[in-house]
Amino acid sequence: MRPRALEEVIGQAEAIGADSWLRQAIEHDSLSSVILFGPAGTGKTTLAHVIANSTQAHFVEVSAIGGTVSDLRREIAQADRRLAETGERTILFVDEIHRFNRSQQDALLHAVEDRIVVLVGATTENPYFEVNSALISRSRIVQLHSLSDEDIRTVARSAVEDERGFNGEVGLEDEALDAIVTLSGGDARSALTTLELSAELAQAAGEGRITLEMVQKANPARAIPYDKNKDMHYDVISAFIKSMRGSDPDACLYWLARMIEGGEDPKFIARRIFICAAEDVGNADPQALLIAEAAFKSAEVIGYPECQLILAQAATYIALAPKSNSACGIFDARAEVRNGPVRSVPDNLRDRHRPGSEAYGQYKYPHDYPGGWVDQQYLPDGLERGAFYKPGERGWEAYRTESVARDRKNA
């Protein structure tokens, strides 16, 4: 069912729409080096094959998994000879280009720079992190996105009806189609695999239609896209943290579930809850830090599956807690220390266990005064109260700020 021409490609209107650079380059056979970047099953290899079918150039495919530097140099040498003798260009397709090591990518660089080959690279990883920056600067980055539900429906229906697929010999119930769409997660290859396995079950049972039960049997567990070291990992944890900060417990539980289903380390999750308790709740609810600590301890000593309940409790507690980011005043204080003048400790605060300390100013012991507070200098000269600490207006911090102000007024 792999598309043979651009007209057969489903989805990716942004990348290969009528006015897109890539479509015009393919149609006019004027392609320059390009790196196709996107999740699995979105059409990267398909577009490479479409290019192969559409271009007048010689098309060569090299494996980034089993290929060596020698293989690469051999293809580049042949491309150079082909260009010199016949004027024929070579399009070099490298699937999973991020798997090429540094020396292999360097071997490609001069060939791309000298236009000996037109590189078409495909990768599921962010090329800005995984591909030689010099190679990126000489290529166009085209990002592909997960297919929409409607795109996946079209892919599945086409496979049922097309002569290259089941040619109408097997039916597909609506509930079964819905399940295939949901299970695919925007991955066309995954959808076709599930469809094929389900059709085999239907044929084995002597039935002419694929049912929901067959789809569920063919694919009992949904494969959620989640890479613990790459972009998806950081996107999901970012959504989780921002949901806690934004006081949305439902979103917290959803993103927490995504991480748990993806096999994320519970200690990694707990550390983020711990940080959020201080950064976003702070003294609006000091109890939040203790609950986050308990969640981290549970991740250390209990682990899955039980600690998921404790992580969920801590995350929803942080989401529902009143918010204050006054602890972030430490960043302003550090900036002052780094960039400001070296300020002396006020004499009244200096250590008294040295000769000559009797000449220091008097230190007033707060507990000797009504309300346990006395007005005296604590900040160094040149800084005033409120320079760094900006109390929140909610929870325990707001209550205590008001109480402290009242005590000082009455002192």
Side-chain angles (χ1 to χ4, degrees):
M1 290 303 299
R2 190 183 295 281
R4 296 156 294 189
L6 282 172
E7 291 70 25
E8 294 181 356
V9 177
I10 295 170
Q12 306 304 345
E14 182 179 342
I16 57 169
D19 298 326
S20 69
W21 167 83
L22 183 57
R23 187 183 194 95
Q24 293 184 21
I26 294 173
E27 289 179 341
H28 293 91
D29 198 16
S30 59
L31 189 69
S32 58
S33 292
V34 59
I35 296 176
L36 305 172
F37 157 47
T42 52
K44 299 182 296 298
T45 305
T46 287
L47 282 176
H49 283 272
V50 167
I51 292 169
N53 293 335
S54 306
T55 184
Q56 299 300 312
H58 188 78
F59 189 90
V60 176
E61 183 171 350
V62 173
S63 170
I65 298 174
T68 65
V69 174
S70 298
D71 296 333
L72 199 57
R73 286 176 176 160
R74 183 181 63 253
E75 293 296 346
I76 291 171
Q78 291 177 357
D80 194 15
R81 191 180 311 112
R82 196 178 296 118
L83 186 63
E85 293 176 356
T86 67
E88 185 181 20
R89 296 181 308 140
T90 299
I91 292 178
L92 178 65
F93 174 57
V94 182
D95 200 8
E96 302 294 335
I97 191 172
H98 63 277
R99 293 181 181 270
F100 265 170
N101 59 36
R102 181 65 60 180
S103 62
Q104 288 170 309
Q105 291 189 25
D106 287 344
L108 267 175
L109 184 58
H110 83 88
V112 171
E113 190 171 33
D114 297 341
R115 301 185 180 237
I116 296 171
V117 300
V118 174
L119 172 68
V120 177
T123 176
T124 55
E125 309 298 343
N126 191 326
Y128 294 102
F129 295 123
E130 303 295 337
V131 178
N132 186 322
S133 58
L135 203 54
I136 286 178
S137 69
R138 292 160 176 80
S139 307
R140 185 81 172 255
I141 306 296
V142 174
Q143 185 169 4
L144 306 183
H145 302 281
S146 296
L147 298 182
S148 69
D149 287 355
E150 195 53 43
D151 290 337
I152 297 294
R153 289 179 196 279
T154 302
V155 168
R157 289 192 184 106
S158 297
V160 169
E161 298 165 2
D162 196 285
E163 61 182 11
R164 294 187 297 149
F166 295 111
N167 198 26
E169 294 176 2
V170 65
L172 181 61
E173 293 185 356
D174 289 341
E175 286 186 341
L177 177 58
D178 291 341
I180 289 172
V181 170
T182 300
L183 289 165
S184 73
D187 182 334
R189 185 165 50 240
S190 173
L192 290 172
T193 300
T194 301
L195 178 66
E196 184 174 15
L197 294 173
S198 303
E200 290 175 359
L201 291 174
Q203 291 167 349
E207 298 184 23
R209 295 185 66 78
I210 297 172
T211 65
L212 173 60
E213 290 73 22
M214 293 171 185
V215 172
Q216 292 172 336
K217 189 174 180 179
N219 195 344
R222 181 183 181 187
I224 301 295
Y226 188 80
D227 188 324
K228 288 190 283 184
N229 298 309
K230 305 298 179 183
D231 286 356
M232 183 67 71
H233 161 84
Y234 292 109
D235 286 346
V236 172
I237 193 63
S238 176
F240 177 62
I241 292 168
K242 288 169 182 171
S243 298
M244 286 190 290
R245 181 183 297 139
S247 303
D248 191 327
D250 290 293
C252 285
L253 291 175
Y254 175 79
W255 296 119
L256 176 60
R258 280 284 294 271
M259 289 187 285
I260 292 173
E261 289 295 320
E264 184 60 80
D265 181 353
K267 294 191 293 296
F268 173 82
I269 301 171
R271 280 195 292 270
R272 269 54 195 176
I273 296 174
F274 216 157
I275 294 166
C276 197
E279 181 180 355
D280 296 304
V281 177
N283 283 327
D285 183 354
Q287 186 76 11
L289 199 60
L290 301 179
I291 289 174
E293 180 187 24
F296 184 78
K297 193 66 177 177
S298 79
E300 278 191 316
V301 302
I302 299 175
Y304 290 139
E306 289 84 356
C307 80
Q308 67 181 307
L309 293 170
I310 303 168
L311 293 174
Q313 179 184 347
T316 51
Y317 187 97
I318 300 300
L320 294 171
K323 302 297 190 293
S324 169
N325 67 346
S326 60
C328 292
I330 186 61
F331 301 124
D332 293 331
R334 290 190 64 190
E336 165 61 32
V337 170
R338 286 194 305 268
N339 304 317
V342 178
R343 303 182 189 274
S344 300
V345 176
D347 285 346
N348 62 310
L349 301 183
R350 295 176 67 185
D351 180 66
R352 304 287 164 152
H353 299 88
R354 63 166 65 94
S357 62
E358 62 274 2
Y360 299 163
Q362 178 190 6
Y363 168 65
K364 301 174 184 178
Y365 188 55
H367 296 290
D368 290 340
Y369 295 84
W373 180 84
V374 60
D375 189 15
Q376 66 180 325
Q377 182 179 1
Y378 291 102
L379 282 166
D381 292 340
L383 295 175
E384 297 182 356
R385 185 178 295 144
F388 310 116
Y389 177 63
K390 307 293 192 299
E393 300 177 350
R394 290 164 292 281
W396 181 88
E397 185 172 41
Y399 162 74
R400 285 306 305 148
T401 300
E402 293 170 1
S403 297
V404 168
R406 189 165 54 249
D407 291 343
R408 289 175 177 174
K409 183 178 180 180
N410 296 332

